[in-house]
Amino acid sequence: NVKIKYLPKEITRRKEIAERYDNELKGVGLPNKRMVYQDYIITHKNRDDLYQYLAVNGVESMTNGYPFPEIVTKLPQTVAYEEQSLRIPCNGDLTEEEVDHVIKTINSYQELV
């Protein structure tokens, strides 16, 4: 309950970061527009290489995949999406310098491939 009064500011900041990503990231698949960005998920055909490149260059990211019971069969489109998707930082506490670093690092990877 303490943090609820800060929620509108947090949502606004996440939208600002997402808008920068939408406008400045190159060579990656971008998510659909959303009302709230709990996560900002990009896609890339070389997701694992990009993930490693980000890690080496100080950008935390997470691969996207959800464990399901073996009884559940994932659709091929779901598996393909999971194999190409990556969550990048979109926390409302990120500074402009940190957002710049994420953008520059992803874009510099694109120049290498």
Side-chain angles (χ1 to χ4, degrees):
N1 290 337
V2 172
K3 292 183 90 177
I4 199 80
K5 66 182 176 183
Y6 302 106
L7 190 57
K9 183 179 177 184
E10 175 77 12
I11 291 170
T12 298
R13 178 65 181 140
R14 286 174 182 258
K15 285 181 177 181
E16 291 170 358
I17 295 167
E19 187 173 328
R20 287 213 44 213
Y21 288 162
D22 289 345
N23 294 326
E24 298 178 43
L25 289 177
K26 298 175 184 155
V28 296
L30 303 175
N32 295 328
K33 297 278 185 198
R34 299 181 181 178
M35 294 299 292
V36 178
Y37 288 87
Q38 171 63 29
D39 296 306
Y40 192 93
I41 301 173
I42 60 173
T43 57
H44 195 278
K45 62 183 177 186
N46 298 324
R47 188 262 329 249
D48 292 339
D49 289 339
L50 176 56
Y51 175 78
Q52 291 299 324
Y53 184 82
L54 292 175
V56 166
N57 288 282
V59 176
E60 288 187 36
S61 62
M62 294 173 52
T63 56
N64 207 26
Y66 300 98
F68 285 94
E70 288 185 25
I71 195 166
V72 176
T73 303
K74 293 182 185 180
L75 295 172
Q77 299 93 323
T78 302
V79 173
Y81 178 76
E82 287 179 347
E83 290 173 349
Q84 294 183 2
S85 61
L86 191 63
R87 298 167 189 244
I88 60 172
C90 193
N91 185 295
D93 295 329
L94 290 173
T95 66
E96 285 302 309
E97 292 79 18
E98 291 168 326
V99 175
D100 287 343
H101 181 67
V102 172
I103 292 168
K104 288 177 185 174
T105 304
I106 290 173
N107 289 343
S108 69
Y109 174 79
Q110 291 308 116
E111 294 171 7
L112 296 173
V113 293

